[in-house]
Amino acid sequence: MTANQTPVDNVGQPRVRKPRYTTRTILTAVALGAAVGVILIPINFASGAVTAAAPMVAVTVYGLWGMSALIPLALLRRAGTGIIGSTAAGIVTIISPYGVFMVVMMVGWGVFMELPFLVTRYRLWGWKMFTVAGLITGLISCAMSIASLNLFSMETSLVIGICIVQTLSFLACSLLSLAIARGLARTGIAGGRRRIASDAAEANA
């Protein structure tokens, strides 16, 4: 086939290249992110008082913020769908005490949650990948907490405990995101049934 020829399928018809992002893909990412955003609204209202009184308790739910990006990524397997989902979550949570800042923050979280998948060029989607992603983003969150929670003013043992709990929160929510996405895939959402066999093969690799 020359450079000027159009690729054809087995019956001689021109192949139609599927767009990288369909309307359904975008709307699915938005819906998933918005659903997580609804869950985050009451948590945002309570987070200020809980963080001030018991920071180690507050960080147990920090991983939930990453799920608005991870669930779309796990289900749709498209670069950028995590950012779309987290942005939708940020828009939904504008009504929380943090206001418009939630959009900025959630866009940032979307970028952070996509970084581990970007490194692998969005080719790995099994539990091992989500374990690594959870640990990496958990450590990033711990580094950010140095300023947001003023960790330098706390005892060393408390700081270590907060970082461990915070990282485990991200790890647990990362794996939970994968489990939710696989459950949704079994229903056929976003063509998810086609991926179940490949997931099984990757798990046994």
Side-chain angles (χ1 to χ4, degrees), residues 23 44 46 56 74 86 89 100 132 149 169 171 183 191 203:
T23 301
N44 283 342
M56 191 175 295
S86 60
V100 178
V132 172
L149 299 181
S169 174
L171 174 58

Side-chain angles (χ1 to χ4, degrees), residues 44-178:
N44 283 342
F45 275 101
S47 64
V50 175
T51 300
M56 191 175 295
V57 174
V59 300
T60 60
V61 297
Y62 273 22
L64 292 174
W65 274 263
M67 293 181 71
S68 61
L70 287 175
I71 296 176
L73 276 171
L75 179 64
L76 301 169
R77 301 184 180 185
R78 291 289 187 275
T81 53
I83 297 175
I84 294 172
S86 60
T87 301
I91 294 172
V92 169
T93 54
I94 284 178
I95 64 173
S96 66
Y98 303 103
V100 178
F101 176 71
M102 282 301 302
V103 180
V104 178
M105 185 176 73
M106 294 306 293
V107 171
W109 273 120
V111 173
F112 285 134
M113 303 312 286
E114 290 218 18
L115 285 178
F117 299 92
L118 174 63
V119 171
T120 64
R121 300 179 68 179
Y122 297 91
R123 292 178 177 174
L124 301 178
W125 301 101
W127 67 269
K128 294 178 182 177
M129 183 63 210
F130 277 80
T131 297
V132 172
L135 291 174
I136 291 175
T137 52
L139 292 174
I140 291 174
S141 179
C142 287
M144 295 171 64
S145 292
I146 291 176
S148 62
L149 299 181
N150 194 19
L151 295 183
F152 285 131
S153 66
M154 302 179 186
E155 296 182 1
T156 302
S157 59
L158 181 58
V159 172
I160 293 173
I162 288 173
C163 285
I164 290 174
V165 172
Q166 196 166 340
T167 302
L168 290 177
S169 174
F170 274 84
L171 174 58
C173 288
S174 181
L175 294 175
L176 179 59
S177 296
L178 178 59

